[in-house]
Amino acid sequence: MDNAPIGIFDSGLGGLTVARAVMDKLPDEEVLYLGDTAHSPYGPRPIAEVRSLALAGLDELVRRGVKVLVIACNTATAAALSDARERYWIDQRIPVVEVITPAARAAVVTTRNRRIGIIGTIATIQSEAYTNALAAVPGLTVVSRACPRFVEFVEAGITTGSELESVAHDYLDPLREADVDTLVLGCTHYPLLTGAIGRVMGEGVALVTSSESTANVTYNELVDRDLLHEPRGAEDLPRHRFLTTGGPATFRKLARRFLGPEVEQAGEVALAGGADIP
């Protein structure tokens, strides 16, 4: 048993979709969530900057005593996963869970016509992380498209409306025309836009998110390594904590909208490695 919290890192608010799934899957566990909203979005940034920011955020979570790290950001995973596993798992025996491999596996299981679409940030698509994850499966056709403005909508709290739907058509119509039957939402912000995305893609296209799959992997890591929190009594509720590198008031307002009443407050933190990056 290990009663330390689960550390979840994201570039901003999107990782709350992963946090929600982890909380539901592991109701006895406490979550320590860090959203790097001061530097969000990560998608347009060079990979080297993203790597520096992500490792700074993960360092902060480790400093605060987490028992497992969940990189709930596709861009950060693409940029920093190899370094993170060496830094935290090999050197400190802290398991590192990511979001790309679980979503890729779910897409393979879901597709019927073997045509899979991938949408993500510019950095995630350019990294070809999903394409590489799916390369070992024969007979797949993978079509990728960057959708950078989706993150802007989510961070602004906009999840419906004509402007969003117009942008969604611009991004997604080519994927629909490519006859994909499965679409991987390769950014943890995108599940908050499933209404608009599903409307444009149509009912015949399955939307795959990393949230549930990543929560399953997190569960398995804790079970396999005997890291589960001790069983709680009926009145002993977990106390989740939320940190942000930007304005706590804005983070809390949007986080409560997307996650729920678990976000009672948010603390502000400066990341050592990213303090000089605008």
Side-chain angles (χ1 to χ4, degrees), residues 116-126 130-131 142-148 150 166-178 180 183-187 190 201:
I116 296 174
I118 309 290
I119 58 174
T121 65
I122 293 171
T124 297
I125 298 303
Q126 289 181 343
Y130 276 99
T131 302
V142 179
V143 184
S144 301
R145 190 148 172 87
C147 305
F150 279 171
S166 175
V167 171
H169 272 290
D170 289 342
Y171 287 150
L172 302 176
D173 283 350
L175 294 170
R176 188 177 58 183
E177 293 164 6
V180 302
L183 181 65
V184 177
L185 309 189
C187 174
Y190 295 177
M201 293 303 296

Side-chain angles (χ1 to χ4, degrees), residues 69-247:
L69 288 166
V70 180
I71 308 177
C73 174
N74 288 264
T75 306
T77 296
L81 178 60
S82 178
D83 296 285
R85 284 190 166 150
E86 179 176 354
R87 192 166 182 156
Y88 309 114
W89 172 240
I90 294 177
D91 292 349
Q92 303 183 56
R93 310 311 290 175
I94 299 173
V96 178
V97 177
E98 45 88 19
V99 289
I100 289 178
T101 304
R105 288 173 177 165
V108 171
V109 172
T110 302
T111 185
R112 304 174 305 280
N113 70 0
R114 315 293 283 176
R115 301 181 69 84
I116 296 174
I118 309 290
I119 58 174
T121 65
I122 293 171
T124 297
I125 298 303
Q126 289 181 343
S127 75
E128 298 187 338
Y130 276 99
T131 302
N132 293 335
L134 293 167
V137 182
L140 292 181
T141 297
V142 179
V143 184
S144 301
R145 190 148 172 87
C147 305
R149 289 198 63 195
F150 279 171
V151 173
E152 297 174 15
F153 281 107
V154 171
E155 295 285 348
I158 301 170
T159 57
T160 59
S162 59
E163 182 183 5
L164 170 60
E165 190 161 325
S166 175
V167 171
H169 272 290
D170 289 342
Y171 287 150
L172 302 176
D173 283 350
L175 294 170
R176 188 177 58 183
E177 293 164 6
D179 195 32
V180 302
D181 76 342
T182 301
L183 181 65
V184 177
L185 309 189
C187 174
T188 51
H189 287 69
Y190 295 177
L192 301 170
L193 303 178
T194 51
I197 293 172
R199 178 176 169 84
V200 171
M201 293 303 296
E203 294 183 359
V205 177
L207 304 184
V208 172
T209 71
S210 58
S211 303
E212 289 298 324
S213 299
T214 302
N216 288 337
V217 174
T218 304
Y219 179 93
N220 290 335
E221 284 285 340
L222 297 187
V223 171
D224 292 345
R225 304 190 190 287
D226 194 26
L227 294 175
L228 287 172
H229 193 287
E230 63 186 14
R232 294 178 181 272
E235 303 300 321
D236 181 21
L237 299 177
R239 297 183 61 186
H240 306 301
R241 291 175 288 159
F242 301 87
L243 301 171
T244 177
T245 57

